[in-house]
Amino acid sequence: MASTVAHADADYGAGCVLYPGNRAATVDSLRFRCAPGQLESIFRDASRGAVPMGVHDGWVTSPPDTKAIAPAFWIGKTFYTGPDGGFLMNRLTPAGVEGIRADVYTAPAIMDGQPTWALDYAPSPLPWVYDEIREVTPGVWFGYSWSRDAGGASQMLSFALA
């Protein structure tokens, strides 16, 4: 399945650049050069893209305090998916132990109502967690983790996968 992404050498200013031919440079930009408002623009500008498949490294991009401690607890996700979704397991601790399952499917994004890949933790021990990702360049996904409650959803953090 061909990937459909919104960006081609997209420059959001101040070093926040997406590089379609360079996953490492795109991840570096998302982690260290993009401000929260730029990250929101990147998410809004991106299409859903292809569903991730297989093992992907992950990085928290904001907030800074969570970004600093996350590698001790979370290093990415392993996707067991086909073109229409499936499920994932988070890769926990630096050892990459799989745990905390989420269902993967297409849904409207909380932020803008446009299609996104939903990572729904309802069947896990963390049913209030709900992630949304979009493919911002080929092989790089960016998204948000939300906390759901009776009043709606509040943003917990943003992250990148490659």
Side-chain angles (χ1 to χ4, degrees):
M1 177 176 183
S3 175
T4 306
V5 294
H7 303 288
D9 290 333
D11 188 338
Y12 287 83
C16 178
V17 179
L18 302 179
Y19 304 92
N22 189 333
R23 290 181 190 175
T26 295
V27 169
D28 183 75
S29 186
L30 292 169
R31 292 177 66 200
F32 302 115
R33 291 167 181 62
C34 299
Q38 291 169 311
L39 293 172
E40 184 176 322
S41 293
I42 289 167
F43 184 82
R44 288 179 183 276
D45 290 349
S47 66
R48 180 193 70 165
V51 67
M53 295 180 181
V55 176
H56 292 277
D57 292 333
W59 302 268
V60 171
T61 58
S62 68
D65 56 341
T66 304
K67 182 177 171 178
I69 64 168
F73 304 100
W74 177 76
I75 62 166
K77 301 176 185 296
T78 301
F79 289 83
Y80 298 93
T81 53
D84 298 321
F87 72 97
L88 68 79
M89 297 295 288
N90 280 275
R91 294 173 44 233
L92 308 171
T93 75
V97 176
E98 287 191 2
I100 312 177
R101 178 189 166 123
D103 292 332
V104 179
Y105 55 86
T106 299
I110 291 170
M111 187 174 289
D112 63 11
Q114 297 303 307
T116 191
W117 289 108
L119 315 179
D120 189 348
Y121 290 85
S124 82
L126 305 172
W128 60 90
V129 177
Y130 181 82
D131 296 345
E132 297 176 327
I133 58 172
R134 291 183 176 151
E135 191 176 24
V136 297
T137 63
V140 178
W141 292 264
F142 173 75
Y144 292 95
S145 186
W146 301 89
S147 177
R148 299 182 285 202
D149 59 33
S154 58
Q155 191 181 113
M156 294 189 296
L157 57 86
S158 65
F159 65 97
L161 299 167

